[in-house]
Amino acid sequence: ETGVTQSPTHLIKTRGQQVTLRCSSQSGHNTVSWYQQALGQGPQFIFQYYREEENGRGNFPPRFSGLQFPNYSSELNVNALELDDSALYLCASRAGTGDEYTQYFGPGTRLTVL
Amino acid sequence: AQTVTQSQPEMSVQEAETVTLSCTYDTSESNYYLFWYKQPPSRQMILVIRQEAYKQQNATENRFSVNFQKAAKSFSLKISDSQLGDTAMYFCAFPFYNQGGKLIFGQGTELSVKP
């Protein structure tokens, strides 16, 4: 078990709605990354936050946005949901220095868009 | 560009036997880390083992070990004495250092351990 938690566990939304997913990082970790994992595929990087600033972004449209808070917890917001947004969303945290870029994952949030 | 390739979509092994999962990667970096993650049906992505490229010695964690061939850019995972709880998707991953260490994952290998 890592110290990374995510909420909610499952979520069902309809197309066009907005959703917010939450992540609490492991103690001592100041960097949080979000990944999208479609069924049967490897995770795809969405973006990363370091000390409340976005410092890396994958090939995702602007309707995917995020925040990191002073306690290093993070949110992922998705606007104007599309059917293809249905996926497992994984949050990972790591220490900003040292630990050799090792990321520790939370249990994920399963999002279903109808 | 960094890429990670797992060429075995599915594998199966009998309980107590040994299985090796393959991974190849491409990078221009000289020092880096490589990771194997396990994702059981519960969905949690769990770190299995990591290897530092400049270390000659292959990493070992209990029943899990790697065969790291830097020149060939190969990073295979060996699971000894397979257990039913090893049934999971296994992903090889590489951190993209130019983008804050984001992980690039392979396509995954679905391992089934049979009694």
Side-chain angles (χ1 to χ4, degrees):
Chain A
E1 291 283 332
T2 69
V4 183
T5 61
Q6 292 186 243
S7 63
T9 304
H10 297 92
L11 206 51
I12 299 175
K13 292 285 188 179
T14 57
R15 197 169 47 182
Q17 286 188 310
Q18 178 265 342
V19 68
T20 297
L21 310 182
R22 294 179 175 83
C23 170
S24 292
S25 60
Q26 185 167 310
S27 178
H29 288 182
N30 58 15
T31 302
V32 173
S33 300
W34 287 92
Y35 295 82
Q36 180 195 67
Q37 186 178 21
L39 198 61
Q41 298 183 21
Q44 297 292 316
F45 175 74
I46 302 174
F47 45 58
Q48 177 173 279
Y49 280 83
Y50 171 64
R51 293 185 174 178
E52 304 178 56
E53 297 285 332
E54 185 182 297
N55 75 337
R57 189 177 183 90
N59 189 25
F60 281 81
R63 59 189 185 83
F64 285 78
S65 63
L67 283 173
Q68 186 179 31
F69 301 99
N71 66 355
Y72 303 129
S73 65
S74 178
E75 286 183 355
L76 164 65
N77 300 290
V78 187
N79 294 320
L81 283 166
E82 300 177 359
L83 297 179
D84 284 349
D85 296 334
S86 294
L88 179 67
Y89 288 84
L90 296 167
C91 168
S93 74
R94 67 174 177 88
T97 57
D99 205 21
E100 299 87 23
Y101 290 91
T102 302
Q103 297 194 20
Y104 298 90
F105 286 82
T109 294
R110 171 74 66 190
L111 172 64
T112 302
V113 182
L114 302 175
Chain B
Q2 275 92 337
T3 58
V4 180
T5 303
Q6 293 178 251
S7 58
Q8 304 153 314
E10 298 177 359
M11 293 191 73
S12 66
V13 63
Q14 292 295 127
E15 198 174 6
E17 292 188 346
T18 295
V19 64
T20 299
L21 310 183
S22 301
C23 172
T24 58
Y25 61 95
D26 189 22
T27 183
S28 57
E29 301 279 345
S30 58
N31 191 27
Y32 46 87
Y33 284 80
L34 291 158
F35 304 96
W36 278 99
Y37 285 89
K38 165 186 175 181
Q39 189 176 37
S42 66
R43 311 177 324 199
Q44 176 108 36
M45 192 76 76
I46 301 164
L47 177 67
V48 174
I49 198 166
R50 71 182 184 192
Q51 173 76 42
E52 188 168 4
Y54 81 85
K55 287 189 176 178
Q56 301 283 348
Q57 189 173 9
N58 288 325
T60 299
E61 289 285 345
N62 301 314
R63 297 183 296 107
F64 298 88
S65 61
V66 301
N67 183 5
F68 175 54
Q69 304 287 332
K70 189 174 182 181
K73 295 181 180 175
S74 170
F75 180 58
S76 60
L77 175 69
K78 185 171 84 171
I79 306 174
S80 303
D81 186 25
S82 296
Q83 300 176 0
L84 297 178
D86 295 333
T87 293
M89 282 290 286
Y90 286 81
F91 292 96
C92 177
F94 180 94
F96 196 169
Y97 294 97
N98 287 342
Q99 291 194 21
K102 74 171 190 180
L103 287 175
I104 301 169
F105 288 85
Q107 303 91 325
T109 296
E110 185 172 7
L111 177 67
S112 296
V113 180
K114 301 185 183 306

